[in-house]
Amino acid sequence: MDRAARIGQLGDVAEVMLGYVENKTTFQGEGTLKVPSASYCDEEIYKKEIDLVFKKLPLMLAFTAEMPNPGDYKAMEAVGLPVLITRDKDGTVRAFLNVCSHRGAPVAEEGYGNCPRFTCKYHAWTFGRDGKLIGISERQTFGDVDKSERGLRQLPCEERAGMIFVSLDPEGSFDLDDYFRGYLADFEDMNFKDWHYVGNRTIHGANWKIAFDGYLEGYHFQSLHPETIFPRTPSNTTHYEGFGPSMRIGFPQHEIKNLLKDVSRDEWGTRENYGYDFVRILFPNVSIFVAPEITQVAQLFPGPTPDKNRTVLNYLCREAPKTPEEEENLQGMANFFRDVTYEEDYVIGMEIQKGLESGAHKELIFGKNERGNQYFHEWLNWYMAEDPSAPEPRM
């Protein structure tokens, strides 16, 4: 599908959302879905999610904008594993386990930098940006080592549409075209690779699925966000599209009719943020809200125990700030988004965690109007079942 066809498709979605607002309706699934409360609390389920989902599927771990230059790197933790992402002098991006092949220490401190090589602080073994072992300190006293066999352990990695995807399984592989079913074209159309990285904030909350469920529906906007989201976006008025296990969620604005009435129908697909908004979900753990001034990208990771998650809130914008005042404004907006996400969504999530652990109810129920939540849990169960012959969930 070319860009014009994609704009036409978005225009069709805008028309559907306009109908939702005018008729006070929303996207509907076929029925309700029950999910066991244990899904959010059980140690074995938690471990299985990490092993079969987070350590197998391609995870979006970095942005082109975070490390745009040759020699740039990002060292981070993902699901308890130390990961090092590098950009070589020819622009190639690679990912490794950030673990020295001598005695297991990290070769780069967590964070960002730019360097031609990585030196382990324990015994000063040195590795190139391509992960190859290039130096052993005091080698004459160490003994024979085949350097070609002692490089950093490489991870499957691919850079697409301004994002860097990594599998945490060194023996794994992935096909992004098959996995995203054309969805990455959204980000290519936005020239996401050329955006400016503002920074990130980290927050902590309940089980990762409790937190993620909150990103997947607008049923709660009026009751939970009466002063922040609801003035712009009506409650329980949501559209869903599936791209494999990922989703594009449409949220019409109260004023969608007025904002589109003087715009040619052919241009409705170009009016994101001016009549309607999208939250883009990258399965299993990323939520992206694009706004004109600043964009929030939430990466949710399971915490050290089933009842905890670690969420990294990343902030990007289309152009780098030109003045200190513009930079200060961007940082202020990032703090505002962080505070709303934590104080209005994550705090109640921790209360939900206590409620589920109390045993009050054996299961939760997602309504027909919460089809995004249903779809997410259906795909999660599909991967957990380890049966590729089983039918895939359909939106």
Side-chain angles (χ1 to χ4, degrees):
M1 183 185 297
D2 62 19
R3 187 171 187 273
R6 288 193 294 273
I7 291 174
Q9 184 183 57
L10 294 178
D12 293 341
V13 171
E15 186 170 24
V16 170
M17 290 192 288
L18 174 60
Y20 289 162
V21 172
E22 290 183 325
N23 299 306
K24 298 187 185 303
T25 57
T26 189
F27 190 102
Q28 294 272 274
E30 293 181 359
T32 60
L33 176 73
K34 296 176 182 178
V35 174
S37 299
S39 174
Y40 301 89
C41 311
D42 184 81
E43 180 81 19
E44 293 305 313
I45 294 174
Y46 157 81
K47 290 179 178 178
K48 195 173 181 181
E49 289 167 351
I50 291 175
D51 290 340
L52 298 181
V53 176
F54 281 89
K55 290 187 177 179
K56 295 295 183 183
L57 300 182
L59 303 179
M60 197 286 289
L61 293 188
F63 305 91
T64 299
E66 284 183 276
M67 39 184 300
N69 303 310
D72 284 350
Y73 70 85
K74 177 182 180 181
M76 63 178 296
E77 177 189 314
V79 202
L81 295 177
V83 176
L84 174 63
I85 305 171
T86 70
R87 188 179 296 280
D88 211 340
K89 60 183 178 181
D90 65 355
T92 301
V93 169
R94 297 182 177 89
F96 309 92
L97 291 173
N98 184 15
V99 180
C100 180
S101 58
H102 171 217
R103 297 270 291 279
V107 302
E109 296 292 335
E110 190 167 316
Y112 303 92
N114 183 289
C115 65
R117 62 186 63 86
F118 300 93
T119 301
C120 174
K121 65 181 180 181
Y122 196 10
H123 294 94
W125 281 34
T126 304
F127 300 83
R129 291 179 295 211
D130 58 3
K132 293 180 180 178
L133 175 61
I134 58 178
I136 298 172
S137 60
E138 302 186 49
R139 184 171 183 177
Q140 68 278 9
T141 64
F142 191 86
D144 294 335
V145 174
D146 184 346
K147 290 194 294 184
S148 67
E149 296 180 351
R150 305 299 301 182
L152 299 177
R153 192 72 186 277
Q154 192 158 354
L155 298 171
C157 176
E158 185 175 347
E159 183 175 26
R160 289 280 292 276
M163 294 173 285
I164 298 169
F165 297 89
V166 178
S167 168
L168 299 179
D169 179 5
E171 304 299 328
S173 63
F174 55 76
D175 181 336
L176 292 181
D177 291 318
D178 179 67
Y179 187 67
F180 284 112
R181 321 279 172 96
Y183 195 17
L184 295 182
D186 258 21
F187 300 90
E188 292 166 352
D189 288 345
M190 292 187 288
N191 294 315
F192 202 52
K193 65 181 178 62
D194 297 323
W195 287 25
H196 171 73
Y197 189 71
V198 175
N200 63 64
R201 312 286 189 271
T202 298
I203 59 177
H204 299 270
N207 177 277
W208 72 278
K209 298 189 299 296
I210 288 177
F212 207 50
D213 279 335
Y215 291 92
L216 304 179
E217 47 87 3
Y219 186 30
H220 66 282
F221 285 175
Q222 184 171 9
S223 54
L224 193 64
H225 305 295
E227 297 179 358
T228 51
I229 298 178
F230 181 65
R232 175 187 179 93
T233 308
S235 257
N236 200 28
T237 313
T238 310
H239 189 70
Y240 295 101
E241 302 167 85
F243 299 83
S246 297
M247 285 180 274
R248 184 167 58 209
I249 308 176
F251 294 95
Q253 297 167 15
H254 289 288
E255 296 299 315
I256 184 172
K257 183 176 182 178
N258 292 333
L259 291 169
L260 293 182
K261 67 179 181 180
D262 296 325
V263 179
S264 166
R265 173 61 180 79
D266 293 340
E267 297 299 314
W268 282 14
T270 68
R271 300 301 292 174
E272 182 173 356
N273 300 135
Y274 301 96
Y276 57 88
D277 302 294
F278 288 119
V279 169
R280 293 172 171 85
I281 300 297
L282 305 183
F283 190 89
N285 70 325
V286 172
S287 170
I288 302 170
F289 173 59
V290 176
E293 303 88 357
I294 197 168
T295 288
Q296 176 174 283
V297 182
Q299 297 167 295
L300 286 78
F301 297 101
T305 54
D307 61 330
K308 294 180 173 61
N309 87 79
R310 177 177 65 92
T311 298
V312 181
L313 300 173
N314 301 272
Y315 297 96
L316 300 95
C317 59
R318 286 177 167 81
E319 296 182 1
K322 297 178 177 63
T323 66
E325 290 76 18
E326 288 183 3
E327 172 66 24
E328 184 178 356
N329 286 339
L330 285 172
Q331 296 300 332
M333 283 188 280
N335 289 336
F336 172 77
F337 272 87
R338 183 267 320 274
D339 292 345
V340 169
T341 303
Y342 180 78
E343 294 171 5
E344 297 188 6
D345 289 288
Y346 278 51
V347 168
I348 196 170
M350 288 183 280
E351 294 173 349
I352 291 170
Q353 185 76 50
K354 292 179 182 178
L356 297 180
E357 291 174 352
S358 75
H361 305 287
K362 292 184 178 180
E363 57 194 15
L364 304 182
I365 184 167
F366 291 103
K368 295 193 297 182
N369 58 330
E370 298 175 298
R371 180 59 191 146
N373 301 79
Q374 297 180 2
Y375 193 70
F376 164 70
H377 285 276
E378 289 167 0
W379 270 102
L380 185 61
N381 291 339
W382 188 87
Y383 281 109
M384 299 271 277
E386 295 186 278
D387 181 8
S389 66
E392 294 182 347
R394 301 287 296 274
M395 184 61 80

